[in-house]
Amino acid sequence: MVETGIFGGSFNPIHCGHIALARQIMRAARMDEVWFVVSPLNPFKQAATDLLDDARRLEIARQALSAEPGLIASDYEFHLPRPSYMWHTLRSLSHDYPERTFSLIIGADNWLAFDRWHLAEDILARYRIIVYPREGSPIDASSLPPTVRLVDTERYPLSSTQIRDRVRRGEPIDGMVPPNVISLVKRYYSPSSDPASR
């Protein structure tokens, strides 16, 4: 079986912290691959969000990961019914890729709220969950269920919000996103970009 981690998020945009974190988790949890599952834009929230168009976020993620062995940008949730609850995503993935074993990768903040996830108990019963540390979200590893593992990764202070804000202000983003996507990020997140693409 191919051990595959599912790292879901809006990746608006993907940044160096996401990538470094996934590398560490892939090693620590002995995974063959980590899939960055880009979450689709909710069509009912377009007017109230600064979430970039699905295709452009995916394009940036794919380019950013193009030289990263085992790290793959995926549009899998784009083709599922919405809202795309993680339980449905995991079950659909297991059906479509029977040769793979899937694990869910989430931050400690999401783990602390996991009991509010859709069909959380079913996810716990059927999938391994890899939790990474987040500032302000302490986790007692000894209290975790058998299918949940806390991995000791570095904390990365980067955020997609910081990057979007810096682009809007015309400030450099070197070191925050991979060099091969700096121009794409600046083009797509610039205030002068086509509003219809957002």
Side-chain angles (χ1 to χ4, degrees):
M1 300 290 278
V2 182
E3 294 288 341
T4 307
I6 296 301
F7 189 12
S10 58
F11 302 112
N12 188 40
I14 192 172
H15 56 64
C16 292
H18 292 134
I19 297 168
L21 180 65
R23 280 198 218 106
Q24 286 192 56
I25 291 171
M26 188 165 65
R27 287 194 300 269
R30 298 186 178 181
M31 293 174 176
D32 298 300
E33 293 180 344
V34 170
W35 291 6
F36 287 66
V37 178
V38 180
S39 302
L41 170 62
N42 184 331
F44 300 108
K45 295 184 178 179
Q46 288 189 21
T49 182
D50 60 355
L51 192 64
L52 192 68
D53 169 78
D54 295 347
R56 291 190 170 188
R57 285 183 291 123
L58 179 68
E59 178 188 357
I60 294 169
R62 283 182 167 160
Q63 182 66 26
L65 299 175
S66 60
E68 295 287 342
L71 304 185
I72 297 165
S74 170
D75 64 354
Y76 191 82
E77 284 194 338
F78 292 4
H79 312 292
L80 295 179
R82 301 182 190 183
S84 48
Y85 293 113
M86 184 52 69
W87 165 252
H88 296 151
T89 300
L90 290 168
R91 294 310 291 161
S92 185
L93 283 165
S94 295
H95 176 270
D96 290 346
Y97 299 95
E99 76 285 0
R100 293 178 177 272
T101 299
F102 292 99
S103 299
L104 176 61
I105 298 169
I106 61 173
D109 52 338
N110 274 317
W111 171 250
L112 292 175
F114 195 73
D115 60 342
R116 298 196 292 273
W117 284 38
H118 180 65
L119 296 176
E121 290 299 324
D122 292 303
I123 297 175
L124 276 172
R126 290 174 171 81
Y127 296 94
R128 182 172 65 148
I129 299 176
I130 306 298
V131 179
Y132 59 88
R134 292 294 298 268
E135 291 295 337
S137 299
I139 299 286
D140 177 5
S142 66
S143 68
L144 296 174
T147 56
V148 181
R149 177 184 172 190
L150 179 66
V151 292
D152 185 21
T153 61
E154 291 183 42
R155 275 75 157 176
Y156 297 96
L158 283 175
S159 79
S160 298
T161 302
Q162 290 174 332
I163 293 165
R164 295 194 305 271
D165 288 345
R166 291 182 69 86
V167 170
R168 280 194 285 265
R169 294 193 298 263
E171 296 173 359
I173 54 171
D174 302 79
M176 301 178 80
V177 300
N180 66 340
V181 296
I182 288 175
S183 61
L184 267 184
V185 171
K186 287 182 175 179
R187 184 191 319 159
Y188 290 160
Y189 287 94
S190 167
S192 60
S193 66
D194 178 8
S197 71
R198 294 182 174 275

